[in-house]
Amino acid sequence: MKRYNIAVAGIGYVGLSNAVLLAQNNDVTAVDISTAKVDAINARKAPVRDKEASEYLAEKELSLNAVLDGTKAYSEADYVIISTPTNYDENKNFFDTSSVETVYKLVRQCSKTACIVIKSTVPIGFTEGIRKRTGDKNIIFSPEFLREGRALYDNLYPSRIIVGTDTSDPDQLEKAKVFADLLLEGAEKKDVPVMIMNPTEAESVKLFANTYLALRVSFFNELDTYAEMKGLNSKNIIDGIGLDPRIGSHYNNPSFGYGGYCLPKDTKQLVANYADIPNELISAIVTANATRKEYITDRIMDSNPKTVGIYRLTMKLNADNFRYSAVLGILKRLESRGAEIVIYEPALKDETFSGHRVINDVEEFKKLSDVIVANRMNSDLSDVKYKVYTRDIFSRD
């Protein structure tokens, strides 16, 4: 297959995984405003925690370099992937897409012909909107379905490849097919469903998929709330439900609520997109997540603990990232109740977090805590199970 010049703007999980994947068979330049990330890529080290990406960078022959100034990379590129962050703006009730639009303008100052591929998560209708505003047809949208820490793995073994473009335009349709083929060429798994659709439908796939996952989390959390309040065994009920093949036994472990980088912002964005659309269920998913955190906080405070210990701020097992963790929502609610809080979080270097003492000695932490709050259990806590409040039934994410 032909080699292409590809520029990737933004070296987070999405940008890194795409850059590494495509650099196996193409000439790729990663662009970022972070000197640390650029230096890491050029030293063949992953700038974010990703096992497969670290291995590929260290062991594979990749045509990949990173730069702070993307002028040359954009001017020479056949494809430019935009993978900059689009955080949810609580004031505007919409994604902040300013980073995507800034990169778009920079690319077009350098090249009028490069095909721009938006991989940042955007509101439904964004790609069509920017195409109409600028008169620029050469923009496609390709959603990502990645997990933090396993982003490259999920690109090497994708569940599907989706590209959104103007399917009535033969030139744009061909560019979309070529880009899909480039992703497939770099993947280890080859039997992958590929779908080409219009960009608004592709954007919808992304937001509805993540909102369904949030719905599933919320469903099993509310089941668990019911079982705990009624003195029932949540595991028995969930196991019995999961034996129905239409439901299955996946994504069913109760927690303190859905969190992470994608689900909270994507669900809120979809609710915003439903502003003039009749709905009950979509809006209720966001509400249910807040209700679960209130319930968990009530249960923790029922025993009137003198000191509440928060065991890890992370959401998942073996994780070191706690951005948008559901545990933070519990922490804030405990603060509002006046609880004395101590935190055990090895990923933190500081001695305090949000005004609370951070204890790096797990034994001291266990001794000081009257109740230990753990979203996910760990063998560290096996000797103090009687102190632990968790809803982790299956000991997995």
Side-chain angles (χ1 to χ4, degrees):
M1 191 171 175
K2 175 185 172 182
R3 291 183 73 89
Y4 288 86
N5 289 323
I6 300 172
V8 179
I11 318 176
Y13 284 100
V14 173
L16 176 66
S17 60
N18 276 275
V20 171
L21 180 88
L22 294 166
Q24 297 174 94
N25 303 296
N26 303 278
D27 301 314
V28 178
T29 302
V31 184
D32 202 279
I33 59 175
S34 166
T35 300
K37 288 184 176 182
V38 167
D39 289 347
I41 292 287
N42 290 331
R44 288 300 183 259
K45 295 178 181 178
V48 295
R49 183 186 176 101
D50 189 307
K51 179 176 177 288
E52 281 75 22
S54 296
E55 292 174 353
Y56 266 62
L57 283 165
E59 301 169 8
K60 296 278 187 177
E61 289 189 16
L62 303 174
S63 180
L64 172 64
N65 72 296
V67 297
L68 292 167
D69 183 353
T71 302
K72 185 173 185 293
Y74 298 151
S75 64
E76 296 177 350
D78 299 301
Y79 287 90
V80 177
I81 296 172
I82 300 179
S83 53
T84 54
T86 51
N87 297 319
Y88 189 79
D89 188 320
E90 297 287 354
N91 295 319
K92 295 179 180 177
N93 289 326
F94 240 62
F95 282 146
D96 179 359
T97 57
S98 58
S99 67
V100 175
E101 301 195 42
T102 296
V103 173
Y104 167 78
K105 291 174 184 176
L106 289 173
V107 173
R108 280 296 174 249
Q109 288 171 9
C110 301
S111 172
K112 303 299 182 187
T113 59
C115 181
I116 294 176
V117 182
I118 298 173
K119 277 195 167 287
S120 303
T121 304
V122 295
I124 296 173
F126 175 82
T127 305
E128 192 60 37
I130 197 170
R131 284 164 59 102
K132 287 181 177 178
R133 277 199 324 273
T134 62
D136 188 349
K137 296 181 179 180
N138 208 6
I139 309 171
I140 62 182
F141 176 78
S142 180
E144 287 292 346
F145 308 99
L146 308 176
R147 296 166 292 174
E148 282 193 22
R150 300 301 304 275
L152 179 58
Y153 179 90
D154 290 338
N155 262 342
L156 292 170
Y157 299 91
S159 57
R160 69 279 209 198
I161 292 171
I162 293 176
V163 184
T165 190
D166 181 354
T167 55
S168 66
D169 184 323
D171 181 56
Q172 293 307 307
L173 184 59
E174 179 60 24
K175 288 178 180 178
K177 289 179 178 177
V178 168
F179 184 73
D181 287 343
L182 292 176
L183 296 177
L184 190 58
E185 182 185 28
E188 296 286 341
K189 180 183 176 182
K190 300 302 181 185
D191 183 19
V192 180
V194 176
M195 297 184 69
I196 310 293
M197 60 186 70
N198 79 50
T200 304
E201 291 167 346
E203 292 160 351
S204 299
V205 169
K206 172 68 173 182
L207 291 189
F208 275 98
N210 276 348
T211 301
Y212 175 77
L213 294 177
L215 167 66
R216 192 169 172 106
V217 171
S218 297
F219 175 86
F220 285 104
N221 280 342
E222 290 206 350
L223 180 160
D224 180 62
T225 295
Y226 181 89
E228 188 177 29
M229 291 192 71
K230 295 293 185 179
L232 305 174
N233 186 313
S234 292
K235 184 177 186 301
N236 286 343
I237 300 170
I238 294 172
D239 282 342
I241 291 171
L243 291 173
D244 186 326
R246 297 169 300 177
I247 298 172
S249 58
H250 59 281
Y251 232 72
N252 62 356
N253 194 20
S255 67
F256 293 163
Y258 63 78
Y261 184 62
C262 291
L263 298 194
K265 68 186 184 81
D266 289 6
T267 50
K268 290 177 181 177
Q269 176 61 65
L270 189 58
V271 170
N273 277 112
Y274 261 89
D276 58 349
I277 306 293
N279 81 99
E280 295 290 341
L281 183 60
I282 301 300
S283 297
I285 295 167
V286 175
T287 305
N289 202 43
T291 300
R292 175 65 169 180
K293 292 173 187 177
E294 292 289 346
Y295 169 76
I296 293 295
T297 304
D298 288 342
R299 298 296 292 181
I300 293 166
M301 297 301 294
D302 278 349
S303 61
N304 297 312
K306 180 181 177 183
T307 303
V308 177
I310 304 293
Y311 179 82
R312 305 301 307 270
L313 299 174
T314 55
M315 292 249 338
K316 298 181 178 182
L317 300 170
N318 302 317
D320 64 356
N321 184 10
F322 46 85
R323 292 180 303 174
Y324 308 101
S325 167
V327 181
L328 297 182
I330 304 300
L331 177 63
K332 289 178 182 177
R333 286 167 172 80
L334 289 170
E335 284 176 351
S336 70
R337 307 283 184 92
E340 181 75 23
I341 299 169
V342 294
I343 299 168
Y344 174 73
E345 180 48 76
L348 279 175
K349 305 276 191 243
D350 299 329
E351 294 182 356
T352 62
F353 178 84
S354 190
H356 305 291
R357 183 183 172 194
V358 175
I359 301 171
N360 288 322
D361 184 328
V362 70
E363 297 303 323
E364 181 186 2
F365 166 79
K366 290 188 287 188
K367 185 176 180 181
L368 285 174
S369 304
D370 295 313
V371 60
I372 296 173
V373 178
N375 189 50
R376 291 293 179 245
M377 268 304 273
N378 188 283
S379 58
D380 284 347
L381 305 177
S382 58
D383 61 328
V384 288
K385 282 185 178 180
Y386 64 94
K387 286 188 177 185
V388 178
Y389 182 80
T390 184
R391 300 312 300 157
D392 181 11
I393 292 173
F394 296 102
S395 297
R396 57 175 165 74
D397 291 328

